[in-house]
Amino acid sequence: MITPSTWEIVSLLLDVAHITFIILLASAVLGLLLGAVLTMINVKNIPVLKQITVVISSFTRSVPIIIQLFIVYYALPPLLGNFGINVTSMSATVAAILALTLYHGGYLTEVLRAAYKAVEKGQHEAADSLGYTPTKKFFRIILPQTVPVALPGWGNALIHLIHDTSLVFALGVADIMGRAELIAASSFGMNQVQVFLIVAAIYIAVTFLSDGMVRLFEKKTQKFKLDSGLKAKRVA
Amino acid sequence: MLAIQNLKVSFGDKEVLKGVDLQVNKGDVVTFIGPSGTGKTTILKCVNYLVEPDEGHMQLADISVDFKKIHKKEILQLRRNTAMVFQQFNLFKNKTVVENVMDAQIAVQKKSKKEAYERSIDLLEKVGLLEKKDEYPSRLSGGQQQRVSIARALAVEPDVVLFDEPTSSLDPELVAEVLKVIERVAQTGVTILLVTHEMDFARKVSNKIVFMEKGHIVEQGSPEEIFEQSQNERTRQFLKHYYPEAIELMAVHS
């Protein structure tokens, strides 16, 4: 039996890397959108819908992600089938994206809500007093002050999401982790330490990139300080 | 120009304003005085609907509203014809000094950037902060921030400027610079409603003083009538504590 060399393993793993990236990118973007919508419902205090956001966010934060994946993939189709919605043909990849989107969105709701609430009431009052419409107020004044507060939390959530993409192989998705399992199995576990160290290295690289991106955003939004300046009384 | 009838406000089960009537003419400088928690700020915040009154009517220039059934449109109209200077300044933290003065002109009044910029520069020069135009508010002292906030209020050419305790969160040595700017604004003939604890200043710039207590207007009149000739026991009690000079003046008069 010929065991593949390190570089062969790397290239075998990178062959399927796009699967992982598609899942990651899709659930990061959709999760951010979902988180934004849930946050809006939450801070606008829309009845009924608000209770639903609370349920989603507490469910996604209290159930282990692997269980969430199983629920979406195995439990959701028959459940929706009862209501006449046929999703039995949902692929494992779509299920993975759906589950991770819910998870990421639920998590981000907490981050975004806290960041939104961190904007002082006085900022709302000032814009209101000048006759801003709610939309103008939000995009010109409130959102630009929410983003810098939300960035560190968002960066953390993103790292969690990156790591959790390694669990989707449990649904049979042939991602990096799924391929790694196969390579390790084909040598009867002889090279599994080597394979998983390589997987670790790939995840380190991705996390590093994501961290760098968040840092860049942080730098870009740092031009103004959010403290009130009340303490800077004697600045000339 | 501004007329308020039977204004009632409550926060939860606490009645803050218990039926207030007020008449303000164009160019008036009306100052509200009285103990803390008597609803002075609340009146100001009803004029631009930052506080929701329970009932009452208000006429501001050609806008007439019944607070019981006010429309979103009317709220925007009220806000677009007034401007407020806040106790805590509330400058937009994500915008530079000049952007703070410009923003409402662009976002609300739909002026061109150039037009807004020129007006803002002009106003910043008048409040003496032209050299700070590109700083963010967090880099300014409280007094400077409040002067910018006055420029921001004037930028939208409001019918009425509402000053809500504009010097109460300033260091004593910074109060004078802000009062000087307010005085100059008052001299331009803009209608002003002012809440302050600076009695000397109130006496100097106002043409009408309103003394309030426990959600009621107790007495109103010219500064002379209130500070020098008040016959009202509660007004005299208040002034005895917060403006002893008035008692001396009253002694001279009687």
Side-chain angles (χ1 to χ4, degrees):
Chain A
M1 187 191 64
I2 305 155
T3 51
S5 73
T6 301
W7 288 116
E8 281 167 339
I9 296 172
V10 170
S11 100
L12 280 170
L13 290 176
L14 291 182
D15 272 349
V16 292
H18 65 280
I19 307 275
T20 300
F21 286 129
I22 287 169
I23 293 172
L24 174 60
L25 215 64
S27 40
V29 171
L30 295 175
L32 183 60
L33 287 177
L34 178 68
V37 171
L38 293 182
T39 306
M40 202 187 75
I41 292 168
N42 196 297
V43 297
K44 290 242 168 191
N45 240 328
I46 303 169
V48 187
L49 286 181
K50 184 180 171 168
Q51 277 67 42
I52 296 174
T53 71
V54 173
V55 170
I56 291 179
S57 112
S58 78
F59 173 82
T60 53
R61 287 186 310 142
S62 41
V63 177
I65 180 67
I66 189 102
I67 310 287
Q68 291 185 41
L69 284 164
F70 287 152
I71 290 174
V72 170
Y73 191 42
Y74 298 116
L76 204 57
L79 201 69
L80 289 178
N82 289 338
F83 299 98
I85 305 165
N86 184 11
V87 287
T88 43
S89 59
M90 178 166 65
S91 75
T93 308
V94 172
I97 290 172
L98 193 58
L100 288 174
T101 296
L102 280 172
Y103 164 75
H104 192 54
Y107 189 101
L108 278 183
T109 307
E110 297 300 315
V111 173
L112 296 177
R113 192 175 58 102
Y116 179 89
K117 298 259 168 173
V119 178
E120 282 167 22
K121 192 173 157 240
Q123 298 289 310
H124 289 269
E125 283 197 329
D128 286 341
S129 77
L130 290 163
Y132 284 62
T133 59
T135 322
K136 283 259 156 81
K137 175 177 83 171
F138 179 73
F139 284 106
R140 298 181 82 94
I141 311 297
I142 307 303
L143 183 65
Q145 296 186 41
T146 306
V147 169
V149 183
L151 273 177
W154 179 63
N156 269 330
L158 215 50
I159 288 172
H160 281 295
L161 181 67
I162 291 168
H163 294 170
D164 291 335
T165 57
S166 68
L167 295 171
V168 301
F169 83 98
L171 302 184
V173 178
D175 71 329
I176 294 177
M177 196 62 188
R179 178 64 65 92
E181 288 278 349
L182 287 178
I183 299 168
S186 68
S187 72
F188 303 105
M190 292 288 284
N191 59 359
Q192 64 178 358
V193 172
Q194 183 191 17
V195 171
F196 290 125
L197 281 178
I198 293 168
V199 172
I202 294 173
Y203 272 99
I204 286 172
V206 175
T207 305
F208 195 76
L209 280 176
S210 134
D211 251 357
M213 183 185 73
V214 174
R215 289 250 167 75
L216 194 76
F217 285 152
E218 278 181 32
K219 225 176 174 176
K220 283 204 162 179
T221 54
Q222 232 169 24
K223 59 183 197 293
F224 56 91
K225 283 212 197 98
L226 286 167
D227 55 78
S228 65
L230 277 175
K231 290 184 190 78
K233 275 163 188 156
R234 281 179 193 80
V235 177
Chain B
M1 121 128 252
L2 175 71
I4 297 174
Q5 281 122 32
N6 192 31
L7 182 65
K8 288 185 182 170
V9 178
S10 49
F11 298 143
D13 51 7
K14 189 179 182 297
E15 270 191 296
V16 182
L17 291 179
K18 302 166 184 167
V20 166
D21 298 297
L22 186 76
Q23 190 78 39
V24 178
N25 298 320
K26 195 169 167 54
D28 272 356
V29 177
V30 181
T31 301
F32 296 82
I33 60 170
S36 300
T38 50
K40 307 182 297 291
T41 293
T42 308
I43 290 188
L44 258 59
K45 289 194 169 176
C46 285
V47 174
N48 61 7
Y49 208 74
L50 288 184
V51 165
E52 289 178 33
D54 297 334
E55 58 180 289
H57 288 265
M58 186 169 81
Q59 174 92 34
L60 170 70
D62 53 355
I63 313 157
S64 178
V65 296
D66 176 356
F67 283 124
K68 258 190 172 165
K69 42 185 182 205
I70 190 166
H71 293 288
K72 274 187 184 164
K73 240 189 182 154
E74 291 172 329
I75 297 171
L76 280 186
Q77 269 186 325
L78 288 181
R79 290 173 175 174
R80 286 173 183 183
N81 287 284
T82 58
M84 185 169 246
V85 173
F86 295 87
Q87 184 177 354
Q88 304 287 346
F89 331 134
N90 294 347
L91 288 179
F92 300 136
K93 292 172 181 176
N94 57 320
K95 302 206 170 276
T96 62
V97 164
V98 68
E99 285 168 354
N100 261 280
V101 186
M102 285 166 71
D103 206 65
Q105 298 181 64
I106 296 167
V108 178
Q109 300 188 320
K110 318 282 181 210
K111 281 192 199 167
S112 73
K113 250 191 174 168
K114 184 167 174 283
E115 207 181 334
Y117 182 81
E118 278 163 9
R119 178 163 176 78
S120 304
I121 291 295
D122 191 43
L123 283 163
L124 284 175
E125 197 168 7
K126 283 193 179 132
V127 299
L129 283 169
L130 192 53
E131 77 276 17
K132 298 280 182 196
K133 71 180 171 65
D134 295 321
E135 297 278 12
Y136 282 94
S138 60
R139 303 261 302 157
L140 304 186
S141 73
Q144 291 169 333
Q145 289 193 55
Q146 196 59 299
R147 280 147 66 198
V148 174
S149 123
I150 294 170
R152 176 176 71 175
L154 295 176
V156 293
E157 298 169 88
D159 291 334
V160 182
V161 185
L162 311 162
F163 286 92
D164 178 22
E165 305 200 24
T167 57
S168 296
S169 49
L170 295 176
D171 270 1
E173 75 264 28
L174 299 177
V175 169
E177 64 181 72
V178 171
L179 291 183
K180 217 163 76 191
V181 171
I182 299 175
E183 193 181 348
R184 255 183 287 152
V185 174
Q187 285 161 357
T188 62
V190 180
T191 311
I192 289 176
L193 302 190
L194 167 72
V195 174
T196 188
H197 295 289
E198 301 283 334
M199 296 299 164
D200 267 325
F201 182 71
R203 197 170 137 219
K204 190 163 71 170
V205 301
S206 322
N207 63 344
K208 187 169 173 182
I209 303 285
V210 176
F211 173 68
M212 290 189 64
E213 198 180 61
K214 292 176 185 153
H216 291 288
I217 291 179
V218 175
E219 194 183 7
Q220 47 183 312
S222 69
E224 295 76 32
E225 285 167 344
I226 302 294
F227 289 121
E228 296 171 29
Q229 299 152 20
S230 175
Q231 297 302 319
N232 188 296
E233 195 43 46
R234 284 187 283 172
T235 310
R236 293 171 72 108
Q237 272 298 323
F238 172 76
L239 290 174
K240 207 164 113 189
H241 282 106
Y242 293 95
Y243 196 52
E245 292 92 323
I247 301 303
E248 288 165 28
L249 288 167
M250 286 179 195
V252 173
H253 272 271
S254 58

